[in-house]
Amino acid sequence: FAPAEGSLTSGKVFYGSSADNSFSYYKITVPGNGYLKITVPEKDESESYHSYYFRVANSSRKNMLAGDKMLTSSNNYTSYAGVKKGTYYIAVKTYNDNYYGLQATFSSVKENSGTSKSKAKSISKGSTKKGVITVSQKAGTGDWYKFVVKKTQKVTFKVNARLGGYSGGVKFAVYKRGSSYAFGSISAHETASGELKPYTFGKGGK
């Protein structure tokens, strides 16, 4: 019989169960800033359909997500959550499986971003910047970068993100210096890979 509680080790499968169709909490500690890949690679073979609700909770077991997320075949039973150093709980509930194999894998991210527009970090042509939006951040906050164009031209940003699903999401936007209006933006909820093509306003524009 699979336990309904336990401690997770990054990258290892933990076999658990959801007693009485309620959430079971699995503890994991992360060493720094980065993200958790949360997946269910092992399922109850006696069942033909599988779906799992999950939460990422703090040390007090309070859900830090915007509602409960789902792991289904449509997202390959996989989701992501940005985290900073600390202890968390991955809570899982299923109405289908008598047991499941839960895996949470931590990946460290070396971040070089600004916490506000006034503290934005420079990004240059051809360079790559990485950032993390954590589950503990307030809605509306984000990572900020700045760039300079010296003439009217086409500017393209390639974006690749690991996201958590439709109870959250992320928006990438570009603002001209001194303006609060975004003149180029894209939004995504699942894993995103695409291009952001803002229109610039001429020499010296940001």
Side-chain angles (χ1 to χ4, degrees), residues 8-178:
L8 303 177
T9 299
S10 177
K12 293 187 177 181
V13 176
F14 185 95
Y15 289 91
S17 62
S18 297
D20 302 320
N21 296 326
S22 60
F23 278 100
S24 297
Y25 288 80
Y26 304 95
K27 183 178 179 180
I28 186 168
T29 299
V30 299
N33 287 1
Y35 64 89
L36 287 170
K37 177 183 178 181
I38 301 165
T39 186
V40 182
E42 301 291 340
K43 305 162 190 67
D44 185 351
E45 295 181 356
S46 67
E47 299 292 334
S48 59
Y49 175 78
H50 310 279
S51 65
Y52 311 90
Y53 293 92
F54 83 94
R55 300 170 176 172
V56 179
N58 60 17
S59 57
S60 300
R61 301 194 176 191
K62 179 181 178 181
N63 189 12
M64 304 178 75
L65 305 179
D68 300 334
K69 296 181 181 291
M70 286 194 71
L71 301 175
T72 66
S73 58
S74 64
N75 58 16
N76 294 317
Y77 305 100
T78 300
S79 189
Y80 299 87
V83 291
K84 61 182 181 180
K85 182 179 180 180
T87 298
Y88 301 86
Y89 286 89
I90 308 299
V92 179
K93 178 173 69 174
T94 179
Y95 298 105
N96 309 104
D97 294 21
N98 294 312
Y99 70 90
Y100 46 79
L102 174 66
Q103 184 181 52
T105 303
F106 173 74
S107 296
S108 177
V109 175
K110 186 176 181 180
E111 188 169 9
N112 183 24
S113 64
T115 55
S116 65
K117 186 188 290 187
S118 62
K119 296 179 180 179
K121 300 291 185 179
S122 294
I123 183 171
S124 58
K125 181 179 178 181
S127 66
T128 299
K129 297 289 186 180
K130 294 182 179 181
V132 178
I133 305 297
T134 70
V135 293
S136 57
Q137 282 187 233
K138 293 181 179 180
T141 63
D143 296 339
W144 289 86
Y145 306 93
K146 62 183 179 181
F147 65 98
V148 177
V149 294
K150 297 182 178 180
K151 62 181 179 180
T152 301
Q153 60 186 286
K154 176 182 176 181
V155 177
T156 299
F157 289 93
K158 292 185 178 180
V159 176
N160 192 302
R162 293 177 174 86
L163 307 174
Y166 278 89
S167 63
V170 66
K171 180 179 181 179
F172 302 90
V174 177
Y175 298 83
K176 188 177 185 292
R177 181 174 57 186

